[in-house]
Each structure stands twice: as structure tokens, then as C-alpha cells.
Amino acid sequence: MGLYLVRKQNGLILGPMVLEDLLKELETLQVGLEDEITGNLGPWVSLESPDIAAIYPEVSVQLENRLSWHSGEENLFTKKWDTKKSPFFTNTEYFILGIILGVTVLAFLIKDDINLKLHKEGAVHKTVSVAKTIDELEHHYNLGNVKAVRVSIDNAVSRGAFQNDSDKIKQLIPYARYVAFSKHGPEKFGIFSSEILRGEHSDEIPESCSVATWVNIFSDLISQKSDQNFENIVEYNAELKVLLWNPFWISIRPSKGWKYPINLHHGCLVRALSAIKMIKKSKLTLNIKKRLEHQVKSLEKPTVNFKDNLYSLQKYNTLDALTCLESGGGRRCLRLMKLDNANGDFFNRQHVMYKVYSSLIGNKKISDYHTLPNKDDLLKIDIFAESFYLESLNRLNNPNQALMLLKEKFPDLDLP
Amino acid sequence: MFGNSDIGCVRKVNQDYIVFEENIGYGLVADGIGGRPGGDVASKLVVESISNAVINTEKIRFDSVASFMVAEIDRANMKLIQFGEKNHTYKGLGTTLNFVFFLGAHLYIAHIGDSRTYLFFREHLFQMTIDHNLGTFINRGLISSNSALKNSNQAALTRAVGLSNTVEVDVLEKKISDGEIYLTASDGLFDMVDDTVIRRIISEYQGRLQDLPDRLILEAKRNGGKDNITVLVSRVVT
């Protein structure tokens, strides 16, 4: 049941209270029509303002019911019904309640027709549909109901509530993205083009992250007869560099306007994973699929237990090595890998990065650190240090120098 | 009460300032006006002036709380103006202010500027304070909208501490109830994070309020963190 706050002219705030209590306060003159109310996530509006019908229609209907009974100076706030004069009713309160309920039900049944008529007359207040639509979308999103989210968006757009108002339409985008990146989600739908759904460009993200594009890339891989070593294939398929993305790094990329996926980086991997499940299996694609599953799972369920992951550690394999490190495998991942000079620095960087993680979270050695921490814990504690270290690394391209800067800035950390 | 302040991802100086004392039951969040020199000086000066007054006051009558708060804000305003006059580099410095004071069974909020105090209760989020900026004043009919104002920055402050010799402060009083959570924050939070998201995060962190300020700050930074971010959380336990 909705709650409301009341602001009186002298600055006194009453509530939160349910509508019925608000009406009682009106009847007893504790609240006046000149006072303002606010509901959940809503604006302040005076009870006597014409805007109240659009912003809080449930309140407006009740006010109209109560006020429309008055004749002359008398109204329900000042006049007591004399039940003795009425042969048909013996209880004033039940009579009033019955009328109010009847009008409320009737208003509820015909509200869509009223809105349609008002829309045609250009009198619909867009704020009503926006606030309620967003609330509805949030409810469906929290239940994980993609279909209901899509239906809500389609209804809102077709009702014209968001028409020609780009600021309001922007509020729908996170939910539209949720639909677009869901299993079998569309590349675009309704007013949301693939460009809108994609959002801001970022250099490291492929030009296209559509499922169709990924299917083409992976299908080409299978048909290539050259050595299917990851380092070789990534040279001709730059898009596959997404497989090198560290899940924690993804989790701190910009995410404004995203709910699920958490950002475009995550969304790109989700679509790649959908695509690779559609094509014919090969040793390479199975390896890539395993890597993608680890990345996506780490973002969605950040606890990954290394011991549960069966990685082939006997042979040199870049993707497995990364997954091994990200899952807390530590030095054993490096020991079991055959590192050539080209990758030595990359893996050393990864190793130091995970040493940073474990130092920031507690006095754990990386070899003892078998699970990725809960995402919130990790972000709560180390985002500054991690971001600083990664930025230094990108800038200097020298892990030793980046580590020295990190030690200067965070002298209390236990670092190698 | 739990609180924190962060410089954000873009600014070079933190012009926000926060002080709170759970044992006494008060908190102050101020956001120094950028675009004028000395925003950080202003927020700190005002908050510390009022904070010292609260700490050093022996007793406050229940019927005098609002006047006490206004008087101290007024005093801080004069100090700020005088500081600006003595230090020409800082002439015109100013700050917003949200001053929350829990006394007995009541909460008093003295508010000026566009920092906000919200109430979270039973999954509802209410913005208690009304922003003192151009856009809000036009929408509420407090300023008539003409073509010149329509083209102006709608976020421009219409009230702040330090802007003039007299300060117009909104004072709110509310009877508090068990379970209510109050959130006081600078615009660095809610300009980056939608109210629906703020509500969801508060709901998720009801059981660990000590982590809520940092969580909200993180959300603001993940969305760009274009301004300083300051968050104060107060929970009512009766």
C-alpha cells in the first residue's frame, strides 16, 4: 500500500501514512488542501493543485469523492450524516465506504479509456506514466521476467507517454538493454536501435557485438586450417581479444544506464557465449566457450572455486592460464605454463594484479586464495588501489614501476 | 549514523564537507559552490562553525531548536561573508548546507541549496527537501519563467550560504519512527544515480548500513563520478 508524506506550510512533516490516514487527517483538519504531499519517488504537490490528478490520481479520486458531497458551505469534513433521516442506511460509515469503493472500482476499470481520451486531447501528464512505468519495470526486472519487461516497455511506448521526450525515454534504456541482451534477445526493438542499446563506444570493444557477428567469427575459426593456437588466431581476429578481459576489470568499466548486463563489455561476452553455443563444436571452440563461461559467470556470480574448474594444465594454453589466475590458482598456473618471452610480461602483470587483490582483501597469499571474493566486498575495499594500479600499468606499460607507484600511494598494503 | 565523502572521478578538489556525531545526534553535509573560488573553504568553515556551536551549547529547548539552527546558520553565513571580504581571492565564496538534528522524538532539518535529505521507509523513498535551484523554483511558480530564465542553467542555485547578508533557510520538523532511514547527500550522488537505484541500494543494505555510504559513492563513481560525492546515513532506532 502506498505511503505519503505531508508537508505543512510551517515546515512540519507528517507521515509516512497510507491514503486512508491522509484522508482522515484532512477530515479532522490536521491537513489542509494548501498542504503538499509526496509519494514514493514522486514530487511534492499541493492537494489543491490541478497537477495532483495526474501525479497522484489515486489521491485525487478520493479527494473528489469526499469534496463532491458538499452542498454550499457544508461538506463531509464539516457535516455529519444523519442516518435517522435515511430509511435505507443504518450505518453512515459503511454507506460512505461503499460509495467510495464503487467509484474507485469504476474509475479503475475505465482509467485506460480516460487516459486514451485525454491523450487524444493532449492532456495526458507524462509524469504519471513515467513514474509508474519505471516502478513496474523495476518490479519485473527484480523478478527476472524479461518478457514482462518487454511488454511493459512496448505498452509504455505505444501509450505515447514517452513520446518526443528524450530525457524520459532514456529512463527506459537500461530495461531495453536487459531485454536485448537476454537469451534470444533482439538486436533492436521498437524505438531502440542497436546503436542506442549499445551505448557509448569504447576502443577495446568490437565494432559489432551482435550474435550474428560472433557466429560468423567462430564459424570462420573452425574452417581455418592454420594452427589453431590462440595467439595465432587472435592476430587475424582482433575481436577475440575480448577473451583476455579480466572479469574484475570488466566490473569496474562504465556502467551508467545498464542493469543487466552490467555494461557493454559484459553484454559483448554474453552475446559471444550465446553465439558459440550455436555452432559446431571443435577443440578450439570448446576452449573458447569454457573461457567465456568463466568470464560471464565471474561477473554474474562472483564466487568461482578453482578446485571445481577442470583445466588442462599440462599443456600451454593462454585462455586456461588466465582463467586459472583469475580463479586464484596463483603461481601454480604460471609454473605449469610454458611461458615464452612474448607472454611473460603479460602473465607477470596478471600475477601481480592478483597479488594486489589478495593483499587488499586480507593477509592471504595468492596460493591460499582459491575463490574470487564477493563482488561487493572486492569493490568496497580495493577499487581505488586496483584502478590506480591498472591505470599506472596502462600508462607506464611497466609492472615494476606501476607497483612502485602503488606502494607509494598505499603504503599500508602488503605488496611484493 | 554513518557517512563518507569522496572527491569523485573528475574533480581535482573535494569541495564537500561532512561532520556528524551520533552521540549528540546531528550531522552536517555541505557542498562548496564550484565556479567560485574557495568552495572547499566555504563548506568547511560553515560546517565547523555550526558543529562547534552544537557541541558547545549546554542545552537547547525543544521549542527553540529551529531558531537555534537558523541562528547558527546565520552566524556561519556572516563569518563566510566576512572571510570573503578579508581574503579577496575568496570573495563570493558559498556553499549549500543540509543540517540534520535528532532531538528527542523529532528530527529537524535545516536546508539551503541543492544538497538533499531523503527518507527511506518500508521500501518507499521520499525526497524531503526541495532543491533551491532555478529549475525547481520555476516549476513551483516561485520565479516566473521568462525567455531569459528558460535559457539559463536550470541547476543554478537560488539560495546558498554566503550569497547574501540574509539566508533563507527551509526548516523541517518531523516526528521520527523506528526503522526510518534518512539519507543526506550532496548532488554528486543523485546527479549520477537515479532515485530508483538509490532506493534499491538502501533496501539491499538495510542490514549493513555501515557499508551504505561507500556503496552509494561507488555507484556514483561507476556512473562517471563527475562531482564530489558525500553521503550521510542515519537510522532511527527507538
Side-chain angles (χ1 to χ4, degrees), chain B residues 16 26-27 53 55 58 71 86 91-92 94 103 109 118 123 125 151 166-167 176 205 214 227 232-233 236:
Chain B
D16 287 0
Y26 81 97
I55 291 168
E58 283 191 7
K86 281 181 191 166
K91 193 173 167 66
L103 211 58
I109 304 171
Y118 292 86
E123 307 305 314
L125 187 69
N151 294 328
T166 54
V167 275
I176 52 179
Y205 278 71
D214 285 345
D227 196 354
L232 170 65
V233 173
V236 175

Side-chain angles (χ1 to χ4, degrees), chain B residues 33-74:
Chain B
I33 299 176
R36 295 179 176 221
D40 53 330
V41 173
S43 59
K44 186 176 178 194
L45 193 155
V46 165
V47 165
E48 289 189 342
S49 169
I50 298 170
S51 183
N52 287 336
V54 173
I55 291 168
N56 294 316
T57 296
E58 283 191 7
K59 55 183 175 182
I60 303 173
R61 285 162 53 101
F62 282 111
D63 57 357
S64 308
V65 178
S67 50
F68 166 80
M69 293 170 83
V70 171
E72 290 309 321
I73 293 173
D74 205 43

